Amino acid sequence: MAQFTEEEKMIRRIERRFNKGVVSYRLIEEGDKILIGLSGGKDSLALIELLGKRSQIFKPRFSVVAVHVVMENIPYKSDLAYLQAHAEQYGVPFVVYKTSFDPTTDTRKSPCFLCSWNRRKALFAVAKEHGCNKIALGHHMDDILETLLMNMTYQGAFSTMPPKLVMDKFEMTIIRPMCLVHESDLIELAAYRGYRKQVKNCPYESQSSRSDMKSILRQLEALNPEARYCMWGSMTHVQEELLPDKID
C-alpha cells in the first residue's frame, strides 16, 4: 500500500475537496472561459494552481485567464512579476488592470465596501474584454461560513456567498471553486509552496469584523468538531415550519 507524506496527504485532501465542489455545484462546463481574480493572497494563488491544473484535463474543456486589479489610491504594493510567473507556471495568462475610487462619493458606505465594489466592477470589465463567461473567486469554506455568521449578526439575514451565482443582468456567473476547501489546508499549502506575501498597508483594514467571525467559528468548532459541516448543511436544510412568520 502506497505511503504518502504529510504534504502529499494535504495536497490530495485539497484537490479532493476542490474537485467535489466543482462537480457537486456544476461550476465548470464545456467551453467556459473563466477569469480568475488574483489578489496575491494565499487563496487566489492556490486557486490559480488548482484551476490551472484542471484546465489541462481534457473534459470539460475550458480556458482561464488571471487578472490582478491595482487600486491606485490604496497603498497596497504587489509583486507583479511574481504574480505573473506564478500564473504562467500553471499555464494561466496574466493581466493587470488599474483603477481607483473616491471614498467621499458615498459616505453611507465604508471605504472597504467601496473598494471591494470597485474591484468587482473591474473584474466584470476585464471579463467582458476577454470574452469570459465566468469569474472565479478564491473564497473557501471558512469565508462562506464566516459571511453567514456576519450576515446573521449584522444584517439579520440568513445568507452568504454561494458557490455559484448567475448574474443575468451582467450576463456573467460568479463561481467559488474552493467552496469546500478548508482554510487550514490552504495555510499549509502556502507554507509548503512558499507563497510570497504581498506588501499590504491598507488604512481601512482594521475596520473589518471578519477576524471576529473567524474567532467565533473556531469557538464553535471547539464545542463541536463537526460544527462547520452542520452549519453548511443548515443552509440547504431550512425548516420553515419551525421558524417564526415574517411580520410586516
Side-chain angles (χ1 to χ4, degrees), residues 155-219:
Q155 304 295 331
F158 192 75
S159 63
T160 188
M161 305 179 292
K164 183 177 183 179
L165 179 62
V166 179
M167 307 188 73
D168 294 327
K169 181 179 179 181
F170 298 99
E171 297 181 340
M172 193 70 60
T173 298
I174 303 293
I175 60 173
R176 296 179 170 90
M178 298 196 303
C179 58
L180 298 183
V181 178
H182 297 192
E183 183 177 27
S184 58
D185 284 334
L186 294 175
I187 291 173
E188 284 190 46
L189 178 66
Y192 178 63
R193 293 284 194 249
Y195 289 162
R196 294 186 196 172
K197 290 185 178 181
Q198 301 300 299
V199 178
K200 185 163 58 173
N201 185 27
C202 177
Y204 309 117
E205 191 171 31
S206 61
Q207 298 178 19
S208 173
S209 58
R210 183 167 291 275
S211 59
D212 296 329
M213 295 303 155
K214 286 183 180 293
S215 177
I216 291 173
L217 181 57
R218 287 194 295 268
Q219 291 177 52

Side-chain angles (χ1 to χ4, degrees), residues 7-22:
E7 289 82 6
E8 289 171 333
K9 290 178 182 177
M10 173 266 297
I11 292 171
R12 287 166 64 88
R13 189 165 59 245
I14 290 175
E15 291 179 341
R16 182 175 66 250
R17 288 171 176 161
F18 173 79
N19 291 330
K20 182 179 179 181
V22 168

Side-chain angles (χ1 to χ4, degrees), residues 128-166:
K128 287 290 186 182
E129 181 181 338
H130 288 266
C132 299
N133 64 312
K134 291 180 179 176
I135 297 174
L137 302 177
H139 298 120
H140 43 69
M141 178 182 268
D142 296 59
D143 286 327
I144 293 172
L145 294 178
E146 289 157 13
T147 301
L148 174 66
L149 290 170
M150 289 177 68
N151 289 347
M152 292 173 64
T153 303
Y154 296 106
Q155 304 295 331
F158 192 75
S159 63
T160 188
M161 305 179 292
K164 183 177 183 179
L165 179 62
V166 179

Side-chain angles (χ1 to χ4, degrees), residues 10-237:
M10 173 266 297
I11 292 171
R12 287 166 64 88
R13 189 165 59 245
I14 290 175
E15 291 179 341
R16 182 175 66 250
R17 288 171 176 161
F18 173 79
N19 291 330
K20 182 179 179 181
V22 168
V23 173
S24 298
Y25 296 104
R26 300 180 178 86
L27 302 185
I28 299 176
E29 300 168 295
E30 183 77 18
D32 279 346
K33 186 169 186 181
I34 303 173
L35 180 75
I36 305 174
L38 177 55
S39 67
K42 70 180 188 313
D43 304 329
S44 62
L45 291 170
L47 184 59
I48 289 288
E49 176 178 341
L50 293 166
L51 269 181
K53 287 180 177 178
R54 192 175 178 91
S55 68
Q56 298 169 20
I57 298 174
F58 182 69
K59 291 184 179 180
R61 288 168 293 189
F62 70 98
S63 58
V64 289
V65 59
V67 61
H68 178 72
V69 177
V70 176
M71 195 63 67
E72 294 182 302
N73 62 311
I74 298 294
Y76 181 112
K77 298 180 181 179
S78 300
D79 186 340
L80 298 180
Y82 171 71
L83 296 180
Q84 181 172 1
H86 178 78
E88 292 179 350
Q89 178 182 352
Y90 298 101
V92 180
F94 178 72
V95 176
V96 175
Y97 185 91
K98 296 182 179 181
T99 186
S100 63
F101 74 99
D102 182 357
T104 65
T105 57
D106 189 347
T107 55
R108 297 169 301 174
K109 303 293 186 180
S110 70
C112 286
F113 176 88
L114 295 174
C115 182
S116 176
W117 175 250
N118 281 277
R119 286 180 185 277
R120 190 65 55 90
K121 284 170 56 178
L123 291 180
F124 279 102
V126 177
K128 287 290 186 182
E129 181 181 338
H130 288 266
C132 299
N133 64 312
K134 291 180 179 176
I135 297 174
L137 302 177
H139 298 120
H140 43 69
M141 178 182 268
D142 296 59
D143 286 327
I144 293 172
L145 294 178
E146 289 157 13
T147 301
L148 174 66
L149 290 170
M150 289 177 68
N151 289 347
M152 292 173 64
T153 303
Y154 296 106
Q155 304 295 331
F158 192 75
S159 63
T160 188
M161 305 179 292
K164 183 177 183 179
L165 179 62
V166 179
M167 307 188 73
D168 294 327
K169 181 179 179 181
F170 298 99
E171 297 181 340
M172 193 70 60
T173 298
I174 303 293
I175 60 173
R176 296 179 170 90
M178 298 196 303
C179 58
L180 298 183
V181 178
H182 297 192
E183 183 177 27
S184 58
D185 284 334
L186 294 175
I187 291 173
E188 284 190 46
L189 178 66
Y192 178 63
R193 293 284 194 249
Y195 289 162
R196 294 186 196 172
K197 290 185 178 181
Q198 301 300 299
V199 178
K200 185 163 58 173
N201 185 27
C202 177
Y204 309 117
E205 191 171 31
S206 61
Q207 298 178 19
S208 173
S209 58
R210 183 167 291 275
S211 59
D212 296 329
M213 295 303 155
K214 286 183 180 293
S215 177
I216 291 173
L217 181 57
R218 287 194 295 268
Q219 291 177 52
L220 291 172
E221 289 191 290
L223 293 171
N224 174 19
E226 299 295 314
R228 69 171 52 231
Y229 302 113
C230 291
M231 291 175 64
W232 190 273
S234 73
M235 292 188 285
T236 54
H237 189 219

